[in-house]
Amino acid sequence: MYSPDGSSFAVVLPDNTINVYATSNWERTWILCGHSNTITNIAYSPNGDRIVSGGWDCTVRVWDVATGDCLYILIGHTHWIRGVSYSPQGNVVASRSDITIRLWDLWDIATGKCTRRLSMDDEGYSSVAYSPQGDLIVSSSYRDNTLRLWDIVAGECRQTMTGHTNTVREMLYSPKGDHIASVGYDRTVRLWNVGSRASQKTSNRHSGCVTGLSYSPKRNQIASCSSDSTIRLWDAETGVCSHTLRGHTGNVWKILYSPQEDQLVSCSIDMTVRLWDAEGGTCRFILIGHTSSINDAVFSPQGNQVASASEDMTVRLWNLETGECQHVLSGDAGMWVIKYSPQGNQIASSSSNGTMNLWDVETGASQHTFSGHLYGIRGMEYSPDGRQLASASEDMTVRLWDVKAGMCSHIFIGHQAEAIRVIYSPRRDQVASASRGDKTVRLWDLESGECRHTLVGHKNEICTIAYSPRGDLIASWSDEGEARLFDVETGDCRWTLNYDGSRYLGGSLLSYNFGWTSPEVDSFITGGNDGSVRAWKVVQEGDVSSVRMRWRSTNGQLGVEDACVQDVQGLSDLNRRLLKQRGATGEPTLRLRETGKKVMSMASVVSKLK
């Protein structure tokens, strides 16, 4: 934790000590010893000259930053200390434990007595925050998930606020003290008017699984769709959500930018395809005609047509100028995947019965039916020149098909479980396939049909794969946020990422979507089952590569007015831009100068705005 003026930094260590560093040279100035058990919380005084700490030893201690001496040992709690904080004036410390909050008057040097005790029967407190004026305290309970507003002078509860359905993790007053923001493990942020029991729930992430991602280089924008029936548009640099597109009434399976990147197409279990404006997020067309869930939707290479595939055993071709259906292509099983040929004059569709069909776009006539797979085809891809088609099936095989002759040219056998993905290398010399069950990626030579490399190492089922734009690398992404980047020539693993979403959001991260966002292969995006979108950066340090998260969508976006941050130290360029985009920078009001900046630490603000 930084001091308010940024001149010192305090960190709690597992040996029950606090180390204090001078930020000018990052030399350690003091080791604060005294607690006999784990230290759970620390806080600087408003002017930074003291540190208060609380721990499992049931004591609160006040330390002098200049000398490293322990000034007070405050005794009275009968259970471990859950949190400590200073009042804005610096004359009172609040400590929370068991079912009580205690206020300690630090000006009484001789006695260090407890001046006020706020207590509610059997309602354990999980967090506490002072108002900017220092006359009120808001507390949250981990037992009934409520917030309570306390009058410090009278020691009475003035207001009880209900709405959260799980423990409230943290709270923050607005600089004027007229709003309170609370974030809970129920995945919501709630904004409360002081004096009112009503709240406004806000969120800047999906409430359901992220089912699809698409990236627009021209707009530097990311589109995500979710099982929560919404589509969200994100600034790829900062992670700011600019638009939430609503209209679908069921799971949205896919979202895709048009070749011109000015439109988006989405398909849903609600049996509709929707066309959206990428700039303003308005819905241009609702394409209605399918009689069952829609599994896939794609733009033609020219961007003037959309094809959609449905469980109703049809593929429909839609005119984007009029929104009318031009052709209905009928099969004999549910349609799973569709692809336009690179030239745009042909469509390939795969189905649940293991067959593929080639269709003429102009007439809608069937040109070829490919049979050979024993079970459904999960993955399908045209070669870059459009002469060949690759398919991946639940029968554990990958097949290559000659588009003109209508025949199978290669059968790749090696996977020990269903093959779910197949993609062509940008170098046009190989295809890669992924198997969910055997947790491997295989690289196949297009000339010989031999397996060049079997890429292993995943501990969880593989969800998706993607070649780098230059084709020299391939990334694979599996359940629970496990990613690997392999060298195509050697088969060696360049870097790994084992990201446990539970460390950040209280739930597992199942990322089914992956996409590169730069030709240099130094950044990518993922979408997860926890409703989040994440942007990552690959950092090269000598011969070692590592992966760092740049931003993530969370439930932590604040909606208070007149909030700003003054004299914050140590912000990165990205965090500075985040604060600026959210209107949290600028000339503060007189009240903010006096009190607001003392209660809004860099850590608490930035963690909520990311």
Side-chain angles (χ1 to χ4, degrees):
M1 174 180 286
Y2 280 96
S3 64
D5 62 2
S7 62
S8 68
F9 185 84
V11 60
V12 175
L13 298 183
D15 61 359
N16 310 328
T17 66
I18 303 168
N19 283 11
V20 182
Y21 297 85
T23 57
S24 58
N25 53 19
W26 287 104
E27 291 185 358
R28 186 170 60 188
T29 55
W30 302 110
I31 300 176
L32 309 182
C33 304
H35 283 286
S36 60
N37 210 326
T38 302
I39 300 171
T40 55
N41 285 272
I42 61 173
Y44 273 95
S45 62
N47 60 12
D49 62 340
R50 293 179 181 180
I51 293 174
V52 62
S53 60
W56 283 3
D57 60 5
C58 306
T59 68
V60 177
R61 292 175 181 257
V62 181
W63 310 85
D64 189 301
V65 174
T67 65
D69 295 333
C70 181
L71 302 178
Y72 313 109
I73 303 175
L74 310 179
I75 301 173
H77 286 296
T78 57
H79 291 78
W80 62 279
I81 310 301
R82 297 179 179 273
V84 291
S85 59
Y86 267 94
S87 67
Q89 292 76 20
N91 62 329
V92 176
V93 162
S95 59
R96 59 188 184 277
S97 171
D98 49 77
I99 61 172
T100 66
I101 301 171
R102 291 177 181 265
L103 305 182
W104 305 91
D105 187 345
L106 299 188
W107 292 104
D108 190 347
I109 298 176
T111 64
K113 290 183 177 179
C114 177
T115 60
R116 188 74 63 189
R117 180 181 182 183
L118 313 179
S119 177
M120 285 294 291
D121 292 338
D122 201 32
E123 301 295 343
Y125 294 107
S126 59
S127 59
V128 64
Y130 274 97
S131 68
Q133 296 76 22
D135 58 339
L136 298 173
I137 280 182
V138 62
S139 64
S140 65
S141 169
Y142 64 85
R143 290 180 178 165
D144 65 3
N145 310 320
T146 62
L147 278 72
R148 287 181 168 84
L149 197 64
W150 301 86
D151 185 301
I152 291 179
V153 176
E156 297 175 350
C157 179
R158 287 177 41 178
Q159 182 180 342
T160 301
M161 295 164 276
T162 60
H164 281 289
T165 58
N166 206 332
T167 300
V168 178
R169 189 177 64 193
E170 196 168 353
M171 299 169 301
L172 181 72
Y173 265 97
S174 65
K176 290 184 177 180
D178 54 350
H179 291 89
I180 296 169
S182 59
V183 58
Y185 287 108
D186 58 2
R187 296 186 176 185
T188 67
V189 172
R190 291 180 180 266
L191 304 181
W192 309 86
N193 292 319
V194 174
S196 170
R197 291 175 173 82
S199 71
Q200 176 186 357
K201 182 171 66 175
T202 64
S203 173
N204 75 330
R205 80 167 183 188
H206 289 290
S207 60
C209 169
V210 175
T211 52
L213 286 175
S214 187
Y215 174 62
S216 167
K218 185 184 297 183
R219 296 179 176 277
N220 200 26
Q221 187 182 70
I222 297 166
S224 62
C225 61
S226 170
S227 59
D228 67 4
S229 308
T230 69
I231 298 155
R232 291 177 183 260
L233 306 183
W234 312 86
D235 184 298
E237 179 65 24
T238 64
V240 174
C241 179
S242 59
H243 296 287
T244 300
L245 315 185
R246 305 181 189 276
H248 282 296
T249 58
N251 293 6
V252 184
W253 295 129
K254 187 175 182 178
I255 187 70
L256 186 68
Y257 281 96
S258 65
Q260 296 77 20
E261 302 180 25
D262 59 339
Q263 299 185 88
L264 290 153
V265 67
S266 61
C267 63
S268 169
I269 197 174
D270 67 6
M271 302 182 290
T272 69
V273 177
R274 288 177 180 255
L275 196 68
W276 310 85
D277 178 73
E279 179 68 29
T282 57
C283 182
R284 292 189 59 232
F285 289 116
I286 304 175
L287 309 180
I288 300 175
H290 284 294
T291 58
S292 188
S293 174
I294 301 172
N295 296 321
D296 199 7
V298 292
F299 281 99
S300 66
Q302 295 77 23
N304 61 345
Q305 189 181 70
V306 160
S308 57
S310 171
E311 287 293 335
D312 65 8
M313 300 187 291
T314 69
V315 172
R316 288 178 177 259
L317 306 185
W318 307 89
N319 186 305
L320 297 189
E321 291 296 324
T322 64
E324 295 179 353
C325 181
Q326 295 175 300
H327 296 292
V328 179
L329 317 178
S330 298
D332 55 5
M335 300 293 189
W336 282 0
V337 184
I338 48 175
K339 298 286 183 180
Y340 276 92
S341 66
Q343 296 77 21
N345 62 341
Q346 187 182 73
I347 284 180
S349 63
S350 73
S351 62
S352 57
N353 65 359
T355 63
M356 291 192 302
N357 288 292
L358 300 185
W359 312 85
D360 185 280
V361 169
E362 186 67 28
T363 65
S366 176
Q367 296 177 325
H368 291 293
T369 298
F370 295 150
S371 300
H373 284 297
L374 302 177
Y375 303 113
I377 298 169
R378 290 290 182 184
M380 184 176 62
E381 193 77 33
Y382 272 99
S383 62
D385 59 11
R387 296 179 181 179
Q388 201 175 60
L389 197 65
S391 58
S393 170
E394 293 176 338
D395 65 7
M396 302 186 290
T397 68
V398 175
R399 292 176 180 249
L400 299 185
W401 308 85
D402 187 299
V403 170
K404 186 176 181 179
M407 298 178 61
C408 179
S409 58
H410 286 95
I411 302 176
F412 299 146
I413 300 174
H415 283 298
Q416 303 301 307
E418 64 177 25
I420 61 163
R421 295 286 186 274
V422 61
I423 54 175
Y424 278 86
S425 165
R427 296 181 173 182
R428 305 188 179 195
D429 61 339
Q430 66 178 214
V431 294
S433 61
S435 171
R436 189 171 180 81
D438 70 12
K439 306 170 188 175
T440 67
V441 177
R442 291 176 180 260
L443 307 183
W444 308 91
D445 187 280
L446 289 179
E447 289 294 327
S448 65
E450 295 180 354
C451 180
R452 292 183 179 179
H453 295 291
T454 300
L455 310 180
V456 299
H458 280 284
K459 298 180 180 179
N460 300 292
E461 295 183 342
I462 296 175
C463 304
T464 191
I465 53 176
Y467 274 103
S468 65
R470 289 189 290 266
D472 57 336
L473 303 168
I474 189 168
S476 55
W477 193 268
S478 75
D479 289 358
E480 305 297 338
E482 180 192 11
R484 289 178 175 265
L485 184 71
F486 295 94
D487 187 295
V488 168
E489 292 298 324
T490 65
D492 295 333
C493 183
R494 294 272 293 271
W495 54 252
T496 62
L497 170 66
N498 292 289
Y499 178 74
D500 180 8
S502 63
R503 288 183 297 165
Y504 293 86
L505 296 167
S508 65
L509 171 70
L510 306 178
S511 287
Y512 295 101
N513 299 279
F514 177 100
W516 295 108
T517 55
S518 76
E520 291 77 22
V521 200
D522 61 0
S523 60
F524 59 93
I525 55 173
T526 62
N529 198 43
D530 62 353
S532 65
V533 176
R534 288 170 169 82
W536 306 84
K537 185 173 181 64
V538 180
V539 179
Q540 189 73 29
E541 298 174 343
D543 296 331
V544 179
S545 298
S546 61
V547 185
R548 299 173 186 173
M549 187 167 62
R550 293 178 55 243
W551 57 259
R552 70 182 184 274
S553 62
T554 70
N555 272 336
Q557 184 179 17
L558 293 180
V560 297
E561 297 179 355
D562 300 327
C564 69
V565 180
Q566 182 72 6
D567 300 328
V568 173
Q569 303 292 320
L571 285 179
S572 65
D573 288 339
L574 176 58
N575 285 333
R576 194 174 292 110
R577 291 183 62 183
L578 284 168
L579 292 170
K580 182 177 180 180
Q581 284 197 324
R582 289 167 170 85
T585 58
E587 188 65 22
T589 62
L590 179 61
R591 178 176 291 176
L592 177 61
R593 283 198 181 98
E594 295 174 347
T595 60
K597 67 179 181 181
K598 297 178 182 178
V599 298
M600 298 178 66
S601 67
M602 179 194 70
S604 64
V605 173
V606 173
S607 66
K608 292 177 174 61
L609 296 181
K610 276 186 176 181

